[in-house]
Amino acid sequence: MLLIHCPYCDETLPELEFAYAGEAHVDRPDDPSTLTDEEWRDFLFIRTNPKGPHFERWRHVHGCARFFNAVRDTVSDRFLLTYKSGAPRPDLAKLEAAQ
């Protein structure tokens, strides 16, 4: 079972408390009406699928109900870092050097 740290509650709890909410730091287009069908498709459905650290959104559904971001290693399934929504994206090079 995965253990996930909620940065708002400041508790580390089982993954059953949380729900995955997609890739983090995906910017919505300023004017979606100007996108072609292919560009809109890519925005809606195409996401990165890295081997290694991946930036994700999670929601603490059985706790504070807030969204937060996490960096999870897709190889080991280990959470490297969780941080509050709206915080800047962490520097991946510094994060990997600290591990």
Side-chain angles (χ1 to χ4, degrees), residues 24-92:
H25 306 290
V26 176
D27 294 326
R28 185 170 176 83
D30 290 331
D31 186 3
S33 65
T34 64
L35 298 180
T36 65
D37 289 343
E38 291 77 20
E39 291 170 328
W40 188 241
R41 176 207 59 210
D42 290 348
F43 167 73
L44 291 175
F45 301 111
I46 306 300
R47 297 289 181 255
T48 63
N49 187 19
K51 182 177 181 180
H54 182 49
F55 292 89
E56 304 173 333
R57 285 179 47 118
W58 286 80
R59 184 170 181 234
H60 191 179
V61 291
H62 296 294
C64 64
R66 297 183 76 175
F67 286 91
F68 61 92
N69 295 327
V71 182
R72 183 179 61 86
D73 187 316
T74 60
V75 176
S76 66
D77 215 19
R78 194 172 117 245
F79 281 79
L80 306 175
L81 174 71
T82 59
Y83 54 101
K84 295 178 179 180
S85 292
R89 181 182 176 133
D91 184 355
L92 198 54

Side-chain angles (χ1 to χ4, degrees), residues 3-38:
L3 294 176
I4 303 173
H5 180 79
C6 175
Y8 295 102
C9 297
D10 198 24
E11 291 187 55
T12 301
L13 300 162
E15 67 180 296
L16 297 173
E17 292 266 332
F18 302 90
Y20 177 74
E23 186 174 349
H25 306 290
V26 176
D27 294 326
R28 185 170 176 83
D30 290 331
D31 186 3
S33 65
T34 64
L35 298 180
T36 65
D37 289 343
E38 291 77 20

